[in-house]
Amino acid sequence: MKNLLNYTIAAAILGFCSTTTTLEAKEQTNQPPIAIAIHGGAGTIERSKFTPAKEKAYRAKLKEAVEAGYAVLNKGGESLDAVTAAINVLENSPMFNAGKGAVYTHNETHQLDASIMDGKNRQAGAVAGVERIENPINLARLVMEKSVHVMLSGQGAEQFAVTQGVPLVDNKIFDTAKRFKALQKAKAKMQKAKSLNKDYQAAHQALPVEYKVGTVGAVALDKNGNIAAGTSTGGMTNKRFGRIGDSPVIGAGTFAENESCAVSATGHGEYFIRYNVAADICARVKYQGKTIEQAGKEVIHDVLMPVGGTGGVIILDNKGNMSLPFNTKGMYRASKSSTSPTYVGIFKQD
Ligand code: ASP
């Protein structure tokens, strides 16, 4: 009878951070392991920018989300249901860049992206650029389960939603004063860059990382050994021309396969698409026999960091091991499993 819980918080790996939970769950009860990890975005998240009240509110919401997902698993529910339950809590909160609280586009609207993947059979669903869907992750799930497609976009995705009985909401329900202010600031910064003769691409590149991150996501393992991953976002502040990030792109922002791992990403989406981040991490596990911790560290710190790809991921495998690496100052994150209590982290040193 051995119950080995090895909970390591690596405070700094080469100046960056990774939080890893390693579970060897030869559990006393013979119950199969269940586990969930969530994120609420990575970026310039530093203690100095938080009042005690703000920090408390973020920690409480992350705890609520991870525990909502865990409760599903604990009742014997499926990993897909745990993922959507946790993400719905974050989408419904104005604190995160997904659903309510989503960032603004250049045209002062909100365009939301989401995706979900079932590790059992590599089924997947995604929506991109939807404006009138309150919980995009739920629509992504409907795309997976009720359509013959993987990704639907814009008005077509909304028409599909109507056929599924999903009500269309006013885009204004996603409005928040905080994000509107961020849009004005982003526009001013880009204007300044343009006046220095930089093109749109270069001006956007010059925006500080906080305008490019904030997504939410979850990965979960259920009692049947099935893993799943999901991601939901408002994308990037001041995005234009129908820009779509990595979050709805299977293999970039989201990936799940029982034999390797489940990943949900947050960060500068263009890099995460180009480096196929979520799928690359799982491929390293599958074909190179790497642990999720090694694979995550390699991709986030060794591959993305040198090219300027900022962000992080949450990773989980079918034994309940979890790793939450990021190369930014902080990442909103939380985890809970049958062998480890609720963990909530925001800053690098958490
Ligand atoms: N990855 C998202 C995107 O590029 C943004 C984020 O993670 O906050 O759309």
Side-chain angles (χ1 to χ4, degrees):
M1 291 292 192
K2 191 170 118 202
N3 187 348
L4 176 61
L5 167 65
N6 185 353
Y7 200 96
T8 308
I9 298 176
I13 299 172
L14 298 173
F16 311 117
C17 191
S18 168
T19 308
T20 301
T21 310
T22 306
L23 307 171
E24 283 177 26
K26 300 269 180 290
E27 46 302 297
Q28 290 158 337
T29 55
N30 266 345
Q31 294 293 318
I34 54 173
I36 180 164
I38 63 164
H39 70 77
T44 47
I45 302 167
E46 293 168 88
R47 187 160 258 129
S48 60
K49 294 185 181 165
F50 281 75
T51 61
K54 183 176 166 190
E55 182 180 337
K56 202 170 152 204
Y58 271 97
R59 287 188 187 278
K61 194 49 82 175
L62 290 165
K63 184 169 186 283
E64 182 189 333
V66 82
E67 288 182 350
Y70 189 81
V72 172
L73 300 170
N74 209 23
K75 279 191 219 122
E78 289 185 19
S79 50
L80 284 169
D81 291 321
V83 163
T84 53
I87 291 181
N88 285 166
V89 171
L90 301 171
E91 285 178 333
N92 295 341
S93 162
M95 289 190 270
F96 302 93
N97 173 20
K100 294 190 185 76
V103 298
Y104 284 80
T105 65
H106 187 74
N107 298 331
E108 302 184 355
T109 62
H110 309 274
Q111 291 184 336
L112 314 175
D113 307 330
S115 67
I116 191 161
M117 189 162 181
D118 184 350
K120 177 169 75 224
N121 49 19
R122 285 178 76 142
Q123 288 292 329
V127 292
V130 293
E131 298 187 349
R132 305 184 61 195
I133 304 298
E134 190 166 5
N135 291 105
I137 194 69
N138 300 353
L139 185 58
R141 174 121 183 230
L142 285 169
V143 172
M144 174 173 81
E145 291 176 345
K146 307 281 186 204
S147 86
V148 293
H149 307 297
V150 170
M151 187 188 279
L152 299 179
S153 69
Q155 287 178 1
E158 289 168 4
Q159 282 163 16
F160 169 74
V162 172
T163 70
Q164 299 303 311
V166 177
L168 299 183
V169 296
D170 191 324
N171 193 250
K172 292 210 175 315
I173 73 157
F174 306 116
D175 284 357
T176 52
K178 175 178 99 171
R179 301 291 186 196
F180 192 69
K181 216 167 122 195
L183 175 68
Q184 305 311 323
K185 270 198 189 168
K187 282 188 170 174
K189 279 181 194 292
M190 285 188 64
Q191 204 49 45
K192 200 170 158 205
K194 267 194 213 146
S195 67
L196 300 172
N197 270 341
K198 290 189 178 171
D199 63 9
Y200 172 80
Q201 200 62 18
H204 216 290
Q205 191 75 19
L207 277 180
V209 70
E210 64 260 34
Y211 296 102
K212 299 169 188 165
V213 295
T215 296
V216 309
V219 289
L221 164 69
D222 64 30
K223 68 168 198 239
N224 299 318
N226 292 319
I227 59 177
T231 312
S232 182
T233 189
M236 196 182 263
T237 305
N238 202 22
K239 66 184 180 181
R240 233 171 148 178
F241 311 127
R243 180 264 188 192
I244 308 288
D246 60 312
S247 306
V249 178
I250 297 300
T254 302
F255 191 78
E257 179 192 50
N258 279 359
E259 298 70 40
S260 54
C261 59
V263 176
S264 170
T266 172
H268 193 158
E270 280 67 12
Y271 289 88
F272 281 67
I273 294 174
R274 288 165 50 218
Y275 286 86
N276 198 31
V277 166
D280 188 6
I281 291 171
C282 294
R284 286 165 197 256
V285 171
K286 188 170 174 180
Y287 301 119
Q288 298 183 327
K290 302 258 166 75
T291 64
I292 56 166
E293 187 189 2
Q294 287 168 328
K297 183 198 165 289
E298 285 175 7
V299 174
I300 296 302
H301 297 296
D302 305 343
V303 175
L304 281 184
M305 195 61 192
V307 296
T310 46
V313 287
I314 50 174
I315 321 169
L316 156 147
D317 68 17
N318 68 1
K319 295 185 195 65
N321 298 311
M322 293 183 271
S323 187
L324 323 176
F326 53 96
N327 63 27
T328 47
K329 293 218 164 114
M331 180 167 85
Y332 298 111
R333 58 201 187 275
S335 65
K336 184 173 171 73
S337 79
S338 41
T339 52
S340 62
T342 303
Y343 159 80
V344 176
I346 298 180
F347 311 111
K348 205 187 272 188
Q349 56 280 10
D350 278 331

